[in-house]
Amino acid sequence: SILNSGTINDTAITTSESTASAYGIYVNGDAFGNVTNTGTIEVLASAQDTYYGYAYGIEIEGDLGATLSNSGTIDVTANALTSTAEAYGIAVQGDVTAAGSILNTGTIDAEAYGIFVDGDLLAESSVSNTGTIDVYAEVETEEATAYGIYFAGAVDAGASLSNSGTIMVEALSSSDSSALAIGILVNEDVSGSVVNSGTIMADATASYSATAWGVEINGGLEGTFENSGTIMTYAESTDATVDSTGIYV
């Protein structure tokens, strides 16, 4: 198991032509022991020219089969002059397996992703936010994207994804490009449950297309989605289409 109850401050700045990557806590593989932050994690990655900047508060490189929890503060920032810059509060690059869970009762401030899972939420696993997730993305040359909770995979039967806290996402494109802000996104089928009893706010502003969605389920909805909380969305564009939607299934 890993426990941080102190302060982690990690900075990666490139002064030449290379990618900048910075990590608060990094697990190089699967995690079957608990990972806990009750302290402060501050991460900055800054890249020059056309190279990428990636910052991670906590990253699991494989599957998560234990509890990953944050009751402290995670603050991640990524900068790049003309290319991709992404900052992740919590990132799991595999599945959240049975008995695995992600719990945020603290504060996550990130640019791009609050909580990111690249795999599935398997049966008997869960992701829950009862704290605050604040994601802000501002881009000059590319599309600006901000996600509170992002699942690249599915939410399987017996699994649960819930928000009873606050999720705020804002995407701003200051050039001739688009902006996308989504509070909760599940990219594949939901056979389990997705519940919002808290507050979700999504704001997208661009000179080109602007899209702000509270909750998006891209696959089929065979399980349940329930909202008893508040979902507020706002999209503004000066030259193109806008789409402001509370729940998109």
Side-chain angles (χ1 to χ4, degrees):
S1 64
I2 299 172
L3 168 63
N4 174 55
S5 58
T7 299
I8 296 174
N9 192 316
D10 187 37
T11 301
I13 299 176
T14 61
T15 57
S16 61
E17 296 180 349
S18 60
T19 296
S21 299
Y23 305 84
I25 295 174
Y26 177 75
V27 177
N28 186 21
D30 299 334
F32 292 101
N34 294 340
V35 179
T36 305
N37 177 55
T38 62
T40 299
I41 297 175
E42 297 176 339
V43 181
L44 168 64
S46 182
Q48 304 298 314
D49 299 327
T50 60
Y51 287 82
Y52 301 145
Y54 297 108
Y56 300 86
I58 300 173
E59 184 183 25
I60 309 300
E61 190 62 35
D63 295 338
L64 174 64
T67 298
L68 194 167
S69 64
N70 173 56
S71 59
T73 299
I74 298 174
D75 190 345
V76 285
T77 303
N79 299 318
L81 290 180
T82 59
S83 193
T84 299
E86 295 179 346
Y88 301 75
I90 293 172
V92 175
Q93 302 296 347
D95 297 328
V96 181
T97 67
S101 64
I102 300 173
L103 173 61
N104 177 55
T105 60
T107 300
I108 297 175
D109 289 313
E111 296 174 356
Y113 300 90
I115 296 174
F116 172 89
V117 177
D118 199 32
D120 297 329
L121 190 60
L122 302 181
E124 301 181 14
S125 62
S126 65
V127 172
S128 176
N129 175 56
T130 63
T132 299
I133 298 174
D134 191 349
V135 181
Y136 177 77
E138 181 176 0
V139 179
E140 293 184 0
T141 60
E142 296 182 352
E143 180 184 41
T145 56
Y147 301 93
I149 299 176
Y150 181 103
F151 264 88
V155 176
D156 288 353
S160 65
L161 169 58
S162 65
N163 173 57
S164 59
T166 299
I167 297 175
M168 298 177 289
V169 290
E170 182 178 1
L172 172 63
S173 177
S174 55
S175 66
D176 188 19
S177 191
S178 57
L180 174 64
I182 300 176
I184 297 175
L185 169 65
V186 180
N187 209 34
E188 296 184 4
D189 295 345
V190 171
S191 301
S193 67
V194 178
V195 177
N196 176 56
S197 58
T199 299
I200 298 174
M201 294 179 286
D203 187 323
T205 303
S207 59
Y208 194 57
S209 65
T211 302
W213 291 344
V215 177
E216 178 188 4
I217 298 173
N218 257 340
L221 179 58
E222 301 173 358
T224 60
F225 173 78
E226 178 182 347
N227 175 55
S228 60
T230 300
I231 299 175
M232 296 178 287
T233 62
Y234 176 81
E236 179 180 347
S237 172
T238 56
D239 296 323
T241 59
V242 295
D243 185 348
S244 177
T245 303
I247 301 168
Y248 181 93
V249 178

